[in-house]
Amino acid sequence: MIEHGPLLERMLEGEFICAVTDEHSFNKLQNENLREDLNHFLRPLNRRIAKSEDGSVFFLAYHELTEPARHQLSQQFGVTIQSLLPMLEWMQLVQEALGRDGALTAGDTIKLQEFSLKVEDNQSLRQRLAMLSADKVFKSTSDQLDMQIKQVFKRIRELGYLHQPHRDRQFYIVTGKIEHLIELVRFIKDEENLPLDEDSPEQGDMF
Amino acid sequence: MNQHSSLFQLGRERLALIGKHSEVLMQGYLNGHIDESALSEAALNKLIDARILWRPDEQAPLSLRPVMGELIASLTRDERKRQINADVAEHLDQIHTRVQSLQAARAKGDYAAAEHHMQLLTERVHDMSGQFGDAIESLWHRLNTEFGFVSSLDDKIREIELAQKQLRRLLDGFGLIDFDQLIALAGSDGSLRKLLVSQLQARISEHSGSLLEVQKRLVLLMARFRQQQERALLVSRMSAFLRQHPNFQIGDYPNRSKVPAVVNQAKEIRAAAAIALDRDSDSSTLAQLARAIPRPEQDVTPTENAEPFAAPEQQLAERVQKKLVEDVENFFIAVIDEGNPVSALDYMNRNDLEWDPEIWLFQVIAEYEGMASDEKRSFRMEKVTRLASRFNQVRIIEDVHLGLRFFGEFQATG
């Protein structure tokens, strides 16, 4: 158990473990026996190891949903929902700027300079980025493109959706946590019966 | 023999001709037509005579003959233009005819002719299996580059659909090869049997195995592309929806009787430990640590020192709130000092106060509303509002102006 101490500690601190952030630990966690052992240890803390539906990321969930646990979940859910639209808009922005037609996936690399060059050349992307960076999730007050981009990416890294392998090199890798976010979006869509499958949403843009 | 040498001569000349004009030909391959000004009249005629270039119809520009295009595509593995063509029926017919000619020649005892037919037959068989090989290799190549020669996801999906059709046709082609028939055709001739049956069978089974693998990979890749497509749609549609419905209320999942797994995400716990002197064996390590702590230059108040260990969020929030109230009170005092009405936002910006404007205004209004009615009467507040939108009658407060009311009269704001 001792060898897993550092991993447990990181997970307790709220870290999401995926193949991008820590491949070694991620592979270890694939082992169900180990997960059971760790869960045994986590039990008194009312925690258990959970994974996203597609198995691409591990994190800690509450073992029992006590009143304080629910309270905490409520609060956290509120924060997630608040940052949902900005996150989705950021994903679209990156996707469009870098000319990709699939949504961002764990393991995708984003070079900040490339992104910055693309946005600089495109007035509409520039405006969208400026709007996005001023959102209360990112809170950038700068009107300089460079600073806005840095602030946005820094925040998203703090939120755990991006991994920066080298402190001083400006490139990021999308983490497995983004899969978790997508799962949440899909869940909300199904749960709230949102009419997202038809081709109607674009109509709204006409107003 | 004479015929042979003249064919050899002609072939060599024409291959050399291709080499000589490789640049123009390659340019023509990429553009779809030949730039006629780049070549002399004589050279153009030579290329046309050599059946390298042609004019598909009167008005059309000169272009490469289809076989030239195919040759270049195949040599350069250019998947956009590479053809997958394994017309098995044609090959099989030719093989039949050739075997009959061969047997007829043997019956006549014409060994030179028989040898010639055998050579052509061998070529034909190798051609057929080579074309299978080529087609399969092309499929593999496209798979391994994940159809990188087209850029959009939709195009990739279409390319996979095309590849699946081609694969289907290859498999159908395999089905046409009837080994019983070939065995009968070869009869007791050992060399024919080897060529038509055992060698071919080995190649075909190798190809089928490879095709099966290609098929599996195609399905996987297709699933992946479709998934990517679905994600992109999900992201764009959800954000469009949320933009259009800013007041959309998402269900209170955490308080449902059955909390969905995707929401269950535990709060972080930071493992903390403090110095303990109850174990002798640790004392020297702890002493070292203690000595290594840099001494503070000046005394810090003890309460602040203790803060980081015991600072729950609430205390922090309280401190922030206190500061906010203090700033707002200062604003009111400033209004009294000023005498003229003051815009709350202006004041905030002038004094470099770092509050969210909304929170600031809210606090100013709350402070005003919360005053005793006597005091309240000496101030006058004017709200600057705007409509939320043409269709929404909600008025949004953008700023407030606060002034003093002297003897019941409010000074007009500037």
Side-chain angles (χ1 to χ4, degrees):
Chain A
M1 218 41 176
I2 286 188
E3 53 165 319
H4 304 305
L7 172 60
L8 271 174
E9 195 171 328
R10 281 170 50 205
M11 291 194 82
L12 280 170
E13 283 174 7
E15 225 181 280
F16 277 57
I17 305 288
C18 71
V20 172
T21 53
D22 183 350
E23 197 173 358
H24 182 63
S25 304
F26 179 72
N27 289 337
K28 275 204 296 194
L29 286 170
Q30 304 287 345
N31 180 346
E32 210 181 320
N33 291 334
L34 175 67
R35 288 211 302 275
E36 247 169 61
D37 288 351
L38 295 178
N39 278 338
H40 187 69
F41 170 84
L42 290 166
R43 186 71 208 276
L45 298 168
N46 187 18
R47 300 288 196 278
R48 67 179 173 83
I49 294 177
K51 60 176 177 178
S52 63
E53 218 172 297
D54 66 346
S56 59
V57 64
F58 290 98
F59 55 95
L60 292 191
Y62 288 112
H63 186 84
E64 247 174 90
L65 291 157
T66 54
E67 228 12 79
R70 275 177 194 266
H71 182 70
Q72 155 64 21
L73 285 183
S74 265
Q75 220 171 11
Q76 186 177 260
F77 186 61
V79 174
T80 309
I81 291 306
Q82 212 179 29
S83 66
L84 188 60
L85 183 55
M87 272 305 292
L88 292 176
E89 284 188 344
W90 172 76
M91 286 173 79
Q92 279 185 288
L93 203 61
V94 173
Q95 188 189 322
E96 274 171 51
L98 301 182
R100 300 179 183 167
D101 44 9
L104 283 182
T105 322
D108 281 355
T109 310
I110 306 170
K111 291 195 189 98
L112 222 50
Q113 203 186 356
E114 192 189 342
F115 178 73
S116 169
L117 280 174
K118 289 279 166 58
V119 175
E120 201 166 350
D121 283 351
N122 186 321
Q123 198 52 38
S124 119
L125 290 179
R126 264 187 103 115
Q127 269 174 13
R128 277 165 60 194
L129 182 83
M131 295 259 285
L132 185 67
S133 68
D135 189 283
K136 50 184 171 294
V137 174
F138 301 117
K139 286 193 214 126
S140 167
T141 49
S142 172
D143 52 5
Q144 289 202 323
L145 181 74
D146 239 31
M147 299 305 286
Q148 290 170 350
I149 292 178
K150 280 210 176 107
Q151 172 69 10
V152 167
F153 277 75
K154 186 174 140 245
R155 271 297 286 155
I156 292 178
R157 195 194 73 212
E158 285 166 4
L159 290 171
Y161 296 112
L162 285 175
H163 174 64
Q164 190 180 12
H166 304 282
R167 279 275 140 191
D168 44 349
R169 275 194 244 160
Q170 294 297 319
F171 79 94
Y172 294 87
I173 305 177
V174 178
T175 70
K177 199 176 175 184
I178 214 138
E179 307 297 325
H180 190 246
L181 187 75
I182 294 278
E183 265 169 33
L184 180 69
V185 171
R186 197 169 287 138
F187 180 81
I188 292 173
K189 183 199 94 176
D190 294 342
E191 198 68 10
E192 310 282 341
N193 277 321
L194 299 186
L196 303 184
D197 293 325
E198 291 102 69
D199 288 325
S200 52
E202 277 75 18
Q203 278 180 353
D205 293 343
M206 297 192 315
F207 288 110
Chain B
M1 232 47 240
N2 198 14
Q3 188 204 352
H4 248 132
S5 74
S6 74
L7 181 67
F8 180 87
Q9 202 59 25
L10 192 62
R12 216 192 50 146
E13 262 171 35
R14 302 214 152 152
L15 282 174
L17 196 61
I18 294 175
K20 195 173 157 200
H21 299 293
S22 58
E23 220 161 289
V24 180
L25 293 179
M26 203 49 217
Q27 207 57 50
Y29 173 80
L30 291 176
N31 297 342
H33 61 86
I34 295 287
D35 178 13
E36 289 177 44
S37 61
L39 289 170
S40 69
E41 182 84 30
L44 274 176
N45 283 335
K46 247 189 190 167
L47 284 168
I48 295 170
D49 286 344
R51 307 178 56 76
I52 293 168
L53 298 182
W54 69 320
R55 203 180 293 278
D57 70 68
E58 290 281 327
Q59 275 84 38
L62 262 186
S63 54
L64 295 176
R65 270 190 179 272
V67 281
M68 274 301 296
E70 265 174 58
L71 177 68
I72 297 175
S74 164
L75 291 178
T76 55
R77 290 191 171 196
D78 181 359
E79 298 302 343
R80 283 168 313 156
K81 296 196 181 175
R82 204 155 149 191
Q83 303 282 326
I84 292 191
N85 182 12
D87 186 356
V88 182
E90 166 81 11
H91 279 291
L92 287 175
D93 285 347
Q94 298 239 17
I95 288 172
H96 267 263
T97 319
R98 204 51 77 187
V99 171
Q100 277 160 5
S101 313
L102 173 72
Q103 279 161 348
R106 278 200 187 145
K108 270 195 241 159
D110 184 350
Y111 289 106
E115 201 181 318
H116 174 65
H117 286 303
M118 187 67 192
Q119 188 204 334
L120 290 180
L121 181 64
T122 314
E123 272 172 21
R124 184 57 65 178
V125 172
H126 285 175
D127 255 16
M128 183 169 80
S129 108
Q131 274 185 15
F132 279 135
D134 244 20
I136 293 170
E137 188 226 24
S138 162
L139 285 174
W140 269 117
H141 191 68
R142 292 197 257 173
L143 261 180
N144 288 336
T145 53
E146 296 194 348
F147 297 85
F149 53 94
V150 286
S151 58
S152 88
L153 210 51
D154 289 336
D155 283 347
K156 282 182 202 284
I157 288 175
R158 272 195 286 278
E159 282 294 327
I160 292 191
E161 279 165 354
L162 178 68
Q164 274 168 336
K165 269 188 210 147
Q166 289 168 338
L167 192 138
R168 191 69 253 154
R169 245 179 291 150
L170 281 176
L171 286 175
D172 287 348
F174 285 166
L176 284 179
I177 301 174
D178 181 354
F179 281 103
D180 289 341
Q181 222 176 21
L182 288 177
I183 290 169
L185 196 62
S188 55
D189 187 322
S191 58
L192 268 185
R193 244 172 194 275
K194 194 173 168 212
L195 180 66
L196 292 181
V197 185
S198 52
Q199 271 185 5
L200 196 58
Q201 212 157 21
R203 289 301 300 276
I204 296 294
S205 76
E206 196 182 300
H207 287 331
S208 321
S210 187
L211 270 185
L212 208 66
E213 190 59 31
V214 169
Q215 203 168 19
K216 262 196 276 178
R217 295 268 297 271
L218 277 176
V219 170
L220 278 179
L221 203 60
M222 184 71 143
R224 218 180 77 207
F225 286 158
R226 287 239 186 264
Q227 200 193 358
Q228 279 181 15
Q229 206 179 29
E230 186 260 357
R231 282 167 71 105
L233 276 180
L234 184 70
V235 168
S236 68
R237 288 180 175 173
M238 183 59 106
S239 65
F241 179 85
L242 290 178
R243 256 196 305 269
Q244 282 167 49
H245 305 87
N247 297 319
F248 173 65
Q249 281 293 324
I250 293 173
D252 186 10
Y253 305 140
N255 287 314
R256 286 198 181 167
S257 56
K258 198 171 177 307
V259 175
V262 71
V263 177
N264 189 349
Q265 190 187 317
K267 185 181 162 65
E268 74 268 15
I269 299 177
R270 305 218 174 254
I275 290 178
L277 299 171
D278 57 349
R279 205 156 63 185
D280 291 343
S281 53
D282 293 345
S283 59
S284 76
T285 316
L286 290 178
Q288 264 177 24
L289 281 173
R291 273 194 294 276
I293 295 172
R295 271 159 223 286
E297 302 263 305
Q298 66 223 97
D299 274 355
V300 189
T301 45
T303 46
E304 265 187 20
N305 226 353
E307 210 72 328
F309 294 96
E313 284 165 14
Q314 216 179 348
Q315 270 186 24
L316 191 73
E318 266 172 27
R319 222 180 318 146
V320 172
Q321 179 66 21
K322 249 188 223 160
K323 175 85 172 83
L324 179 60
V325 170
E326 201 182 305
D327 284 345
V328 169
E329 280 169 353
N330 285 338
F331 169 57
F332 275 75
I333 291 168
V335 170
I336 298 174
D337 287 343
E338 178 81 34
N340 290 323
V342 180
S343 146
L345 281 187
D346 275 353
Y347 174 85
M348 187 182 84
N349 291 333
R350 245 196 343 260
N351 291 284
D352 289 325
L353 299 175
E354 284 174 348
W355 300 107
D356 184 68
E358 228 176 288
I359 291 176
W360 171 254
L361 290 178
F362 184 80
Q363 187 61 34
V364 169
I365 295 169
E367 191 75 13
Y368 175 74
E369 298 294 348
M371 273 191 275
S373 56
D374 267 1
E375 286 170 9
K376 201 170 167 181
R377 226 173 289 141
S378 36
F379 287 98
R380 163 117 186 201
M381 174 175 277
E382 203 168 68
K383 293 168 184 160
V384 182
T385 61
R386 69 172 163 87
L387 278 184
S389 83
R390 275 175 61 195
F391 307 103
N392 188 344
Q393 295 303 312
V394 172
R395 302 196 75 88
I396 291 171
I397 299 179
E398 279 191 316
D399 195 353
V400 298
H401 292 248
L402 190 72
L404 283 177
R405 193 198 295 264
F406 288 115
F407 315 110
E409 221 189 278
F410 181 63
Q411 300 135 297
T413 50

